[in-house]
Amino acid sequence: CEGAGNPLAYPHKHCTGPYVVDGYLFGDAGVTSAYATQVCQLDEQVGIDYYGNDASSHSSIASAEACSSLCAADGVGYFTYGVAWQKCWCKTQIQTLKHVAGLTSGNACQAPTPSPTPSPTASPTPSPAPTPIPSPTPT
């Protein structure tokens, strides 16, 4: 546990925070939000197959980066991507490395989602000019 929670840990050893778990910063006991403390760095090995330990495979994947993000979203730690086949294999662990041309392997790393571009706001429609009220004429 880090920080100055009061108490910092309950008797059952639950950390009240702030504390870091898997790169996320959690607040004190009453805080229900988590914040990323680091950006995941994709570490690719071109020409390497993380052989075996397939959790799943996916077709029509455009890039190694997309494969890495897909595997991370599935909660799997590693990937191998075949560029010629546009195929992605999500891997549970690295056990055997093989040199294979056309394959790229690495850690599963979900890229940060870019903020959406705000929609342009319409220009306000000008109000019509007020119609003058004629002055009363004396009779």
Side-chain angles (χ1 to χ4, degrees):
C1 291
E2 301 172 5
N6 187 9
L8 191 57
Y10 289 115
H12 63 284
K13 306 294 185 220
H14 177 256
C15 194
T16 61
Y19 59 100
V20 177
V21 175
D22 295 331
Y24 288 90
L25 177 64
F26 292 86
D28 286 333
V31 177
T32 58
S33 298
Y35 304 92
T37 59
Q38 60 188 2
V39 174
C40 185
Q41 285 292 112
L42 179 59
D43 183 21
E44 294 180 346
Q45 295 183 335
V46 177
I48 296 293
D49 178 14
Y50 290 170
Y51 185 78
N53 304 300
D54 295 351
S56 60
S57 65
H58 307 275
S59 299
S60 302
I61 305 302
S63 66
E65 292 80 10
C67 178
S68 175
S69 290
L70 176 66
C71 294
D74 286 349
V76 180
Y78 307 95
F79 75 93
T80 294
Y81 176 72
V83 67
W85 309 278
Q86 291 191 324
K87 188 153 184 181
C88 174
W89 294 270
C90 297
K91 308 286 186 166
T92 57
Q93 63 180 329
I94 304 170
Q95 193 168 15
T96 304
L97 301 179
K98 289 190 173 188
H99 291 276
V100 180
L103 294 181
T104 297
S105 297
N107 62 314
C109 182
Q110 197 155 14
T113 306
S115 300
T117 304
S119 301
T121 56
S123 299
T125 305
S127 300
T131 306
I133 300 174
S135 302
T137 52
T139 53

